[in-house]
Amino acid sequence: EFEKPAFVIIKHTNACGVAMAENAQKAYLNALACDPVSAFGGVIVSNQTIDLATAEELNKLFFEILIAPAFQAEALNVLKSKKNRILLIQKTGLPTTPLFKSLLN
């Protein structure tokens, strides 16, 4: 895991919320505050283990996919309460080279 908790919310391949904070719950809430309307039905990615407090906040929003390095057992129980949700564990050993998407082409 990375030191500073971060979340990104993606809708139609575009980021509609990105934030870092002192804990995962606050990072998620800050990312959601960027554009809560567009976040509905999106893909959410975190660089932190999803804990119970964060899962409870996430569960308030309809989303399709959540990707994180790990999920606490209590958090999984909360997140699995809604059907058709996809919860993915981020694969380790991914390239550390940044990837960029051009908006000008």
Side-chain angles (χ1 to χ4, degrees):
E1 288 182 80
F2 297 93
E3 290 183 33
K4 188 126 179 164
F7 268 85
V8 62
I9 303 171
I10 304 163
K11 184 74 174 265
H12 303 296
T13 71
N14 294 305
C16 60
V18 179
M20 295 173 77
E22 61 276 0
N23 63 58
Q25 180 184 18
K26 183 70 173 163
Y28 165 68
L29 291 172
N30 289 347
L32 180 63
C34 293
D35 188 350
V37 174
S38 295
F40 183 86
V43 175
I44 302 173
V45 182
S46 177
N47 67 346
Q48 298 291 307
T49 297
I50 303 300
D51 60 15
L52 180 59
T54 307
E56 289 171 342
E57 288 297 332
L58 284 159
N59 212 41
K60 296 175 184 178
L61 177 72
F62 170 74
F63 61 88
E64 299 282 342
I65 300 169
L66 173 60
I67 304 168
F71 298 87
Q72 290 181 352
E74 301 86 5
L76 275 177
N77 290 335
V78 170
L79 294 168
K80 288 181 176 180
S81 68
K82 304 225 175 150
K83 63 182 194 174
N84 298 327
R85 227 180 228 173
I86 299 170
L87 305 173
L88 300 173
I89 296 175
Q90 180 183 350
K91 187 176 180 179
T92 58
L94 294 174
T96 56
T97 306
L99 299 173
F100 297 94
K101 179 180 176 183
S102 173
L103 301 175
L104 303 175
N105 293 339

